[in-house]
Amino acid sequence: MNELKLSKRLETVVSFIPKQSRLADIGSDHAYLPCYAYLHGYITMAVAGEVADGPFRSAQQQVEKTGLSHVISVRKGDGLAVIHPSEVDCITIAGMGGTLIANILEDGKEKLEGVKRLILQPNVGAHIVRKWLVDNDWELIDERILEEDGQIYEVLVAEKGSGLKPYHRLEAELLVGPFLLQERNGVFLKKWKSEVGHWKRIVAHLEAKGTTEESIAKKEELERKIRLVEGVLQ
Ligand code: SAM
C-alpha cells in the first residue's frame, strides 16, 4: 500500500528526512507526508500535529485508511505542543507562511532539545525563517527552490550548529538564501526577477501618489531591497 502520491513540493521535503528518523510533521493536514515517509522507509514513527478540526480529522482518516495507526500518532494541538521532549529527532513544517513557522519554532523551543534536523517549507517569507534559524543557532545546511503548478516553493534544511556559517553577505542572503544564490537555477532567477519587477512597480506607484512620511519610508525600504537583490544577482 505505498502508491500514495505526493506533490513535488512535499516529495522534496521528504527527501531530506534522514533514514530511521522519528518525525513530527506539524500542520500535517491530510498527513500525506508522514504516511508517505513511513511507506518509503524514511521514518520509524511519526507524530502528525494539527491545530484545526477539519485537517485533524482528515489526518486521522488518512492514517487509518493507510493502516498506519500503530506508527503514526495523530494529535490535535498548537505547534510543537503535540510532542513530548525527546520524542522525535526530525521536524517538518510545510505549506505555511514564514512568520507562522518561525512562531511555532519560537513558542516550542524547549521541545527542540534532541531534535537533529528541521525541514521547513515556507510558502512566503522564507527570510523570516532563515533569520530565526540564525538567531537560534540552527545552521542552514541545504536549500531547494522548485516550481509546481505555477507556484514557486523554497525548502530549508537546518541542523543544530553555527547559524551564521553559510552566510557571506548576511542581509542579502537571508532574503534570497545562501545555497539558492550559489546555485542560481532558473526558478531562482525567475522568482527574483519577478519580485524585483513587482517592487519597482510599487515604487513607481508610490512616487506618482505623493510624499507622505509613510510612503517615503515604504519606498526607501523597497529601494533598499531592490539594491540588495540586484546586487547579488549580477
Ligand atoms: N503541511 C501540509 C502541506 O504542506 O501540504 C499542509 C499545509 S496547510 C496549508 C497548513 C496546515 O497547518 C493547516 O492544516 C493548518 O490547520 C495547520 N496549522 C496552522 N497553524 C498551525 C499550528 N500553530 N499548529 C499546528 N498546525 C497548524
Side-chain angles (χ1 to χ4, degrees):
M1 174 81 191
N2 66 354
E3 69 269 19
L4 191 67
K5 280 296 263 180
L6 270 198
S7 60
K8 188 162 112 184
R9 171 180 68 84
L10 288 181
E11 248 183 29
T12 306
V13 172
V14 169
S15 72
F16 286 105
I17 300 173
K19 287 279 155 77
Q20 300 289 310
S21 287
R22 288 172 289 125
L23 176 76
D25 182 43
I26 303 300
S28 199
D29 195 351
H30 32 61
Y32 291 158
L33 187 153
C35 289
Y36 180 96
Y38 184 83
L39 294 172
H40 287 78
Y42 286 91
I43 59 171
T44 57
M45 61 77 81
V47 174
E50 248 307 326
V51 77
D53 276 334
F56 170 68
R57 277 197 297 276
S58 154
Q60 282 181 316
Q61 282 161 12
Q62 178 63 37
V63 169
E64 269 168 41
K65 189 175 98 184
T66 319
L68 294 179
S69 304
H70 60 301
V71 280
I72 300 178
S73 169
V74 181
R75 299 182 194 164
K76 186 146 179 268
D78 189 354
L80 305 188
V82 294
I83 52 174
H84 308 300
S86 302
E87 189 179 19
V88 301
D89 51 26
C90 180
I91 295 179
T92 50
I93 313 180
M96 304 176 201
T99 305
L100 181 53
I101 292 179
N103 286 342
I104 287 174
L105 294 169
E106 181 64 27
D107 293 346
K109 257 184 188 172
E110 78 282 5
K111 299 289 181 60
L112 294 176
E113 191 72 33
V115 174
K116 297 200 178 89
R117 182 171 286 193
L118 300 173
I119 309 163
L120 309 167
Q121 185 270 300
N123 284 345
V124 293
H127 62 285
I128 296 163
V129 179
R130 290 191 190 95
K131 178 76 168 62
W132 186 92
L133 294 170
V134 167
D135 289 345
N136 290 279
D137 301 322
W138 282 87
E139 183 180 324
L140 196 62
I141 59 161
D142 211 342
E143 296 176 299
R144 290 287 184 278
I145 190 164
L146 64 124
E147 186 170 15
E148 184 169 48
D149 299 332
Q151 296 288 325
I152 292 179
Y153 300 105
E154 292 175 45
V155 177
L156 316 184
V157 188
E159 292 188 346
K160 230 19 198 154
S162 158
L164 284 172
K165 193 170 162 201
Y167 295 92
H168 303 99
R169 285 163 288 182
L170 183 63
E171 207 182 354
E173 290 178 0
L174 280 174
L175 203 54
V176 302
F179 293 92
L180 301 180
L181 176 63
Q182 209 169 20
E183 187 192 0
R184 287 167 189 269
N185 69 19
V187 180
F188 174 85
L189 293 173
K190 180 175 172 180
K191 173 182 167 119
W192 290 108
K193 276 181 192 150
S194 156
E195 284 287 328
V196 167
H198 176 63
W199 292 338
K200 283 183 173 171
R201 283 191 297 280
I202 300 177
V203 167
H205 176 73
L206 289 171
E207 273 168 354
K209 218 175 88 183
T211 51
T212 63
E213 230 173 75
E214 200 188 340
S215 71
I216 291 171
K218 172 113 183 134
K219 181 166 115 36
E220 285 175 357
E221 171 60 12
L222 286 169
E223 285 171 339
R224 200 178 59 80
K225 288 198 332 191
I226 292 166
R227 279 194 303 276
L228 271 180
V229 174
E230 286 188 335
V232 291
L233 286 191
Q234 272 160 14

